[in-house]
Amino acid sequence: KAGVTQTPRYLIKTRGQQVTLSCSPISGHRSVSWYQQTPGQGLQFLFEYFSETQRNKGNFPGRFSGRQFSNSRSEMNVSTLELGDSALYLCASSLAPPGTGTYEQYFGPGTRLTVT
Amino acid sequence: AQSVTQLDSQVPVFEEAPVELRCNYSSSVSVYLFWYVQYPNQGLQLLLKYLSGSTLVKGINGFEAEFNKSQTSFHLRKPSVHISDTAEYFCAVSSVSGNTGKLIFGQGTTLQVKP
């Protein structure tokens, strides 16, 4: 079974631009979560989706948005990029609904975004 | 609110020696506990998890962890490490209630296994 795939793997953008990152969950998984990983702040939760509905949102500005499609694929968008948005963005998928005891998250390899 | 503290940022150890990576957490609600490993240029891989029941949890690659509710700790151990265990290790918690799988991570511990 294929794992979580994220595209693109690497991305370089300029301050002020916007970017869209894509995540394809494991086949059959309906929960998708996004995390930002930086050396300074570590791993921080961005969003969580289940069946196209945002179930939870982390403490990030409104420039960060996401969505989930009917096939469970998810995208996240960052508008008006800042230097501090440079990070590894990780997507995770799960078979079970969020918060259930069997909710085990499988992570993708991440998209490394560099903002110059 | 929950928080996770990994007490060591780096742990150097010789090959075939035992290792313990320490994790303490703080939470006002019941939590599930996890250990993840991250190899260079890769995502996170689940090593083990504590949901309920026996406080000693066995995971992949010979790792185990013990949940101590009174100490609010979830330390990760391996009796004999290999060079291939060199990686970043993350302890994480998520709330049992609230219909969310949101993970709160510690800052990570770099395990350096020397030959």
Side-chain angles (χ1 to χ4, degrees):
Chain A
K1 200 179 232 185
V4 178
T5 57
Q6 293 187 245
T7 56
R9 290 292 311 277
Y10 302 91
L11 203 51
I12 299 175
K13 289 286 188 179
T14 304
R15 268 181 305 175
Q17 288 186 315
Q18 68 94 27
V19 67
T20 299
L21 311 181
S22 180
C23 171
S24 293
I26 292 172
S27 177
H29 285 198
R30 294 161 61 196
S31 292
V32 172
S33 296
W34 289 88
Y35 294 84
Q36 182 196 63
Q37 184 177 22
T38 60
Q41 299 299 316
L43 283 151
Q44 294 186 285
F45 171 79
L46 279 158
F47 332 94
E48 174 181 66
Y49 289 89
F50 178 73
S51 292
E52 302 180 66
T53 301
Q54 188 178 89
R55 297 289 292 269
N56 203 350
K57 188 178 191 304
N59 189 25
F60 278 81
R63 300 184 296 107
F64 291 80
S65 63
R67 59 179 175 168
Q68 186 181 33
F69 302 96
S70 58
N71 61 357
S72 295
R73 191 177 68 85
S74 178
E75 288 181 348
M76 67 163 283
N77 184 278
V78 188
S79 62
T80 320
L81 283 165
E82 300 177 359
L83 294 178
D85 297 332
S86 294
L88 181 67
Y89 289 89
L90 293 164
C91 168
S93 76
S94 175
L95 179 63
T100 56
T102 53
Y103 187 81
E104 181 173 324
Q105 298 187 59
Y106 295 83
F107 283 80
T111 293
R112 185 163 296 282
L113 172 65
T114 302
V115 182
T116 62
Chain B
Q2 295 114 32
S3 65
V4 177
T5 302
Q6 291 183 239
L7 297 161
D8 307 291
S9 59
Q10 293 191 26
V11 173
V13 64
F14 286 105
E15 194 174 18
E16 297 184 7
V19 71
E20 179 179 77
L21 306 184
R22 298 180 294 167
C23 172
N24 286 352
Y25 71 94
S26 173
S27 178
S28 56
V29 299
S30 296
V31 293
Y32 299 127
L33 296 137
F34 306 84
W35 274 99
Y36 285 87
V37 61
Q38 185 176 35
Y39 299 102
N41 299 315
Q42 293 188 29
L44 301 173
Q45 180 182 12
L46 181 66
L47 280 176
L48 47 79
K49 60 185 177 184
Y50 174 78
L51 303 181
S52 64
S54 173
T55 57
L56 183 63
V57 181
K58 293 190 183 299
I60 62 171
N61 301 341
F63 285 93
E64 63 180 33
E66 183 146 25
F67 170 55
N68 187 318
K69 189 173 183 178
S70 62
Q71 302 286 328
T72 60
S73 68
F74 191 54
H75 301 334
L76 181 71
R77 295 190 289 259
K78 186 169 183 178
S80 175
V81 295
H82 304 290
I83 296 288
S84 58
D85 292 323
T86 295
E88 186 97 17
Y89 291 79
F90 294 93
C91 181
V93 300
S94 70
S95 174
V96 170
S97 61
N99 295 320
T100 177
K102 171 185 173 182
L103 290 166
I104 305 296
F105 287 92
Q107 285 294 101
T109 297
T110 301
L111 175 63
Q112 295 175 303
V113 181
K114 304 175 184 178

mmCIF file of all heavy atoms in Angstrom, chain A residues 48 50 55-56 97-100 103, chain B residues 95-102:
data_model
loop_
_atom_site.group_PDB
_atom_site.id
_atom_site.type_symbol
_atom_site.label_atom_id
_atom_site.label_comp_id
_atom_site.label_asym_id
_atom_site.label_seq_id
_atom_site.Cartn_x
_atom_site.Cartn_y
_atom_site.Cartn_z
ATOM 1 N N GLU A 48 -6.552 20.067 10.927
ATOM 2 C CA GLU A 48 -6.980 18.672 10.914
ATOM 3 C C GLU A 48 -8.298 18.608 10.161
ATOM 4 O O GLU A 48 -9.213 19.391 10.438
ATOM 5 C CB GLU A 48 -7.160 18.204 12.351
ATOM 6 C CG GLU A 48 -7.738 16.827 12.533
ATOM 7 C CD GLU A 48 -7.882 16.523 14.008
ATOM 8 O OE1 GLU A 48 -8.694 17.203 14.673
ATOM 9 O OE2 GLU A 48 -7.179 15.620 14.492
ATOM 10 N N PHE A 50 -11.388 15.965 8.458
ATOM 11 C CA PHE A 50 -12.020 14.651 8.381
ATOM 12 C C PHE A 50 -13.260 14.786 7.524
ATOM 13 O O PHE A 50 -14.107 15.656 7.801
ATOM 14 C CB PHE A 50 -12.377 14.115 9.772
ATOM 15 C CG PHE A 50 -13.066 12.780 9.753
ATOM 16 C CD1 PHE A 50 -12.344 11.629 9.449
ATOM 17 C CD2 PHE A 50 -14.409 12.668 10.022
ATOM 18 C CE1 PHE A 50 -12.958 10.394 9.418
ATOM 19 C CE2 PHE A 50 -15.036 11.439 9.992
ATOM 20 C CZ PHE A 50 -14.307 10.301 9.688
ATOM 21 N N ARG A 55 -11.705 19.992 11.425
ATOM 22 C CA ARG A 55 -12.100 19.601 12.769
ATOM 23 C C ARG A 55 -11.357 20.394 13.837
ATOM 24 O O ARG A 55 -11.838 20.546 14.958
ATOM 25 C CB ARG A 55 -11.820 18.110 12.964
ATOM 26 C CG ARG A 55 -12.622 17.210 12.042
ATOM 27 C CD ARG A 55 -14.078 17.184 12.420
ATOM 28 N NE ARG A 55 -14.277 16.523 13.701
ATOM 29 C CZ ARG A 55 -14.519 15.234 13.837
ATOM 30 N NH1 ARG A 55 -14.594 14.462 12.787
ATOM 31 N NH2 ARG A 55 -14.696 14.706 15.033
ATOM 32 N N ASN A 56 -10.179 20.883 13.469
ATOM 33 C CA ASN A 56 -9.381 21.580 14.461
ATOM 34 C C ASN A 56 -8.364 22.451 13.738
ATOM 35 O O ASN A 56 -7.948 22.128 12.620
ATOM 36 C CB ASN A 56 -8.655 20.558 15.356
ATOM 37 C CG ASN A 56 -8.281 21.130 16.705
ATOM 38 O OD1 ASN A 56 -8.374 22.324 16.948
ATOM 39 N ND2 ASN A 56 -7.838 20.262 17.601
ATOM 40 N N PRO A 97 -11.509 8.170 12.633
ATOM 41 C CA PRO A 97 -11.864 9.575 12.885
ATOM 42 C C PRO A 97 -10.987 10.159 13.981
ATOM 43 O O PRO A 97 -10.511 9.431 14.858
ATOM 44 C CB PRO A 97 -13.333 9.495 13.340
ATOM 45 C CG PRO A 97 -13.826 8.194 12.827
ATOM 46 C CD PRO A 97 -12.638 7.269 12.848
ATOM 47 N N PRO A 98 -10.782 11.465 13.964
ATOM 48 C CA PRO A 98 -9.920 12.096 14.972
ATOM 49 C C PRO A 98 -10.397 11.837 16.391
ATOM 50 O O PRO A 98 -11.597 11.855 16.666
ATOM 51 C CB PRO A 98 -10.028 13.589 14.638
ATOM 52 C CG PRO A 98 -10.431 13.637 13.222
ATOM 53 C CD PRO A 98 -11.289 12.424 12.997
ATOM 54 N N GLY A 99 -9.460 11.587 17.255
ATOM 55 C CA GLY A 99 -9.778 11.463 18.671
ATOM 56 C C GLY A 99 -10.147 10.070 19.119
ATOM 57 O O GLY A 99 -10.273 9.821 20.304
ATOM 58 N N THR A 100 -10.297 9.142 18.199
ATOM 59 C CA THR A 100 -10.615 7.782 18.604
ATOM 60 C C THR A 100 -9.336 7.064 19.015
ATOM 61 O O THR A 100 -8.244 7.438 18.606
ATOM 62 C CB THR A 100 -11.300 7.007 17.470
ATOM 63 O OG1 THR A 100 -10.452 7.055 16.318
ATOM 64 C CG2 THR A 100 -12.626 7.644 17.112
ATOM 65 N N TYR A 103 -6.768 6.074 16.432
ATOM 66 C CA TYR A 103 -6.335 7.143 15.538
ATOM 67 C C TYR A 103 -4.821 7.159 15.479
ATOM 68 O O TYR A 103 -4.158 7.773 16.315
ATOM 69 C CB TYR A 103 -6.860 8.474 16.068
ATOM 70 C CG TYR A 103 -6.633 9.660 15.157
ATOM 71 C CD1 TYR A 103 -7.477 9.907 14.089
ATOM 72 C CD2 TYR A 103 -5.583 10.541 15.378
ATOM 73 C CE1 TYR A 103 -7.282 10.994 13.263
ATOM 74 C CE2 TYR A 103 -5.385 11.626 14.561
ATOM 75 C CZ TYR A 103 -6.238 11.850 13.502
ATOM 76 O OH TYR A 103 -6.042 12.946 12.696
ATOM 77 N N SER B 95 -5.066 14.544 23.155
ATOM 78 C CA SER B 95 -6.129 14.467 24.133
ATOM 79 C C SER B 95 -7.024 13.254 23.876
ATOM 80 O O SER B 95 -7.349 12.960 22.724
ATOM 81 C CB SER B 95 -6.961 15.754 24.089
ATOM 82 O OG SER B 95 -8.077 15.655 24.926
ATOM 83 N N VAL B 96 -7.415 12.579 24.940
ATOM 84 C CA VAL B 96 -8.330 11.453 24.802
ATOM 85 C C VAL B 96 -9.716 11.937 24.397
ATOM 86 O O VAL B 96 -10.416 11.279 23.632
ATOM 87 C CB VAL B 96 -8.408 10.666 26.132
ATOM 88 C CG1 VAL B 96 -9.528 9.653 26.093
ATOM 89 C CG2 VAL B 96 -7.078 9.986 26.423
ATOM 90 N N SER B 97 -10.115 13.095 24.876
ATOM 91 C CA SER B 97 -11.439 13.623 24.560
ATOM 92 C C SER B 97 -11.307 14.762 23.562
ATOM 93 O O SER B 97 -10.205 15.217 23.254
ATOM 94 C CB SER B 97 -12.119 14.110 25.832
ATOM 95 O OG SER B 97 -11.352 15.151 26.425
ATOM 96 N N GLY B 98 -12.419 15.213 23.026
ATOM 97 C CA GLY B 98 -12.392 16.383 22.164
ATOM 98 C C GLY B 98 -12.421 16.082 20.689
ATOM 99 O O GLY B 98 -12.329 16.980 19.860
ATOM 100 N N ASN B 99 -12.525 14.803 20.330
ATOM 101 C CA ASN B 99 -12.641 14.435 18.906
ATOM 102 C C ASN B 99 -11.544 15.042 18.047
ATOM 103 O O ASN B 99 -11.792 15.535 16.950
ATOM 104 C CB ASN B 99 -14.002 14.850 18.356
ATOM 105 C CG ASN B 99 -15.119 14.088 19.031
ATOM 106 O OD1 ASN B 99 -14.986 12.890 19.278
ATOM 107 N ND2 ASN B 99 -16.190 14.771 19.343
ATOM 108 N N THR B 100 -10.349 15.063 18.564
ATOM 109 C CA THR B 100 -9.223 15.567 17.787
ATOM 110 C C THR B 100 -8.012 14.661 17.950
ATOM 111 O O THR B 100 -7.801 14.100 19.018
ATOM 112 C CB THR B 100 -8.845 17.001 18.198
ATOM 113 O OG1 THR B 100 -7.681 17.388 17.440
ATOM 114 C CG2 THR B 100 -8.491 17.092 19.681
ATOM 115 N N GLY B 101 -7.278 14.538 16.864
ATOM 116 C CA GLY B 101 -6.044 13.764 16.928
ATOM 117 C C GLY B 101 -4.832 14.660 16.993
ATOM 118 O O GLY B 101 -3.704 14.196 16.853
ATOM 119 N N LYS B 102 -5.062 15.964 17.247
ATOM 120 C CA LYS B 102 -3.972 16.937 17.291
ATOM 121 C C LYS B 102 -2.864 16.463 18.222
ATOM 122 O O LYS B 102 -3.107 16.128 19.379
ATOM 123 C CB LYS B 102 -4.515 18.270 17.791
ATOM 124 C CG LYS B 102 -3.464 19.327 18.100
ATOM 125 C CD LYS B 102 -4.121 20.553 18.689
ATOM 126 C CE LYS B 102 -3.100 21.575 19.162
ATOM 127 N NZ LYS B 102 -3.766 22.750 19.769
#
